[in-house]
Amino acid sequence: AAAGASSFDGFRTRRVFDPLARTRALDDLVLSPVVHRAVRDALPGGYQLGMTVLSEVRPGEVAQKLHRDAAVYPLPAGFPEVMVNTIWALDAFTPANGATVIAAGSHRDASAREQEPVVMSPGSVLVYSGRLLHKDGANSSAAPRLGLIVEHVVRWLRPAESHPVAVGPALAARLPAALQELLGFNQVGDFFGFIAGQPPRDWLARDERPLFS
């Protein structure tokens, strides 16, 4: 993976987007029941994956600027929650190696700016509102730190990444139904989300046949 090409992306940070199209090694994390209980509580109307990315902050990287993930959607202040995200620590996250830094309470109080690093052991996960101010910290250590970012957005919003295209129907048809749903092969209502007039799960399970007989 190439390093970022802007101060926001980081010139010493490498990212692999749509990892679920590349490996099955992360499925258990993405499908974690503990995480999904928390996400369902915050997004009770149903949700799907937004951006999914492996992010490696390498030595010498400077701190990112504070940002809110949900700012990509031009929704008014006070709009109900539309995004809940996770960061999985695949390496230890420490203040020295670029641990995620948050402004606690900033998802509720726009004036909250006091910053603190989220220290995590490998296998730990941070679950946070898409409105929370946060950033990658600076990596002043001698080793990179690797994390997995998994966004969850309500199903009526367009996700940051087009997972059905990246994963493709042939691979998606072999995945667990829960993962198919998260990747965007889902149907919110009778006329919202179908494929060729069929529920996405039925379409994935179809036999190949000509359009006209």
Side-chain angles (χ1 to χ4, degrees):
S6 70
S7 58
F8 181 79
D9 290 333
F11 296 106
R12 294 180 181 271
T13 297
R14 299 194 304 176
R15 293 178 177 83
V16 176
F17 292 96
D18 262 313
L20 297 177
R22 306 167 188 266
T23 178
R24 305 274 56 81
L26 304 172
D27 290 1
D28 286 348
L29 301 183
V30 174
L31 293 172
S32 164
V34 174
V35 166
H36 286 287
R37 280 197 293 272
V39 177
R40 278 194 299 270
D41 285 347
L43 305 176
Y47 54 90
Q48 60 193 332
L49 297 181
M51 182 177 66
T52 57
V53 58
L54 286 164
S55 176
E56 183 184 61
V57 178
R58 300 180 65 79
E61 183 62 277
V62 300
Q64 197 179 35
K65 73 173 183 179
L66 285 171
H67 62 280
R68 292 180 169 91
D69 294 338
V72 298
Y73 297 112
L75 296 171
F79 200 86
E81 192 80 75
V82 297
M83 177 186 286
V84 175
N85 298 339
T86 59
I87 299 175
W88 289 90
L90 303 185
D91 294 321
F93 276 36
T94 71
N97 74 0
T100 302
V101 176
I102 65 170
S106 58
H107 59 306
R108 294 193 179 96
D109 179 0
S111 66
R113 286 294 189 276
E114 186 173 348
Q115 300 177 36
E116 59 183 281
V118 180
V119 176
M120 294 192 283
S121 58
S124 300
V125 62
L126 169 67
V127 182
Y128 63 100
S129 164
R131 293 180 174 140
L132 183 75
L133 280 170
H134 66 287
K135 65 182 183 181
D136 285 341
N139 188 345
S140 59
S141 75
R145 72 93 172 136
L146 181 64
L148 171 66
I149 299 168
V150 181
E151 296 183 347
H152 308 83
V153 298
V154 292
R155 289 194 295 185
W156 50 267
L157 274 178
R158 181 176 180 176
E161 291 186 291
S162 296
H163 299 292
V165 176
V167 173
L171 173 56
R174 303 196 300 269
L175 298 178
L179 194 51
Q180 292 174 351
E181 291 270 334
L182 288 171
L183 286 167
F185 293 95
N186 58 62
Q187 191 166 355
V188 179
D190 289 344
F191 301 103
F192 195 102
F194 61 83
I195 305 175
Q198 302 175 65
R201 192 174 300 171
D202 294 346
W203 183 83
L204 286 174
R206 76 199 189 290
D207 292 328
E208 293 295 341
R209 53 186 177 273
L211 285 175
F212 304 101
S213 55

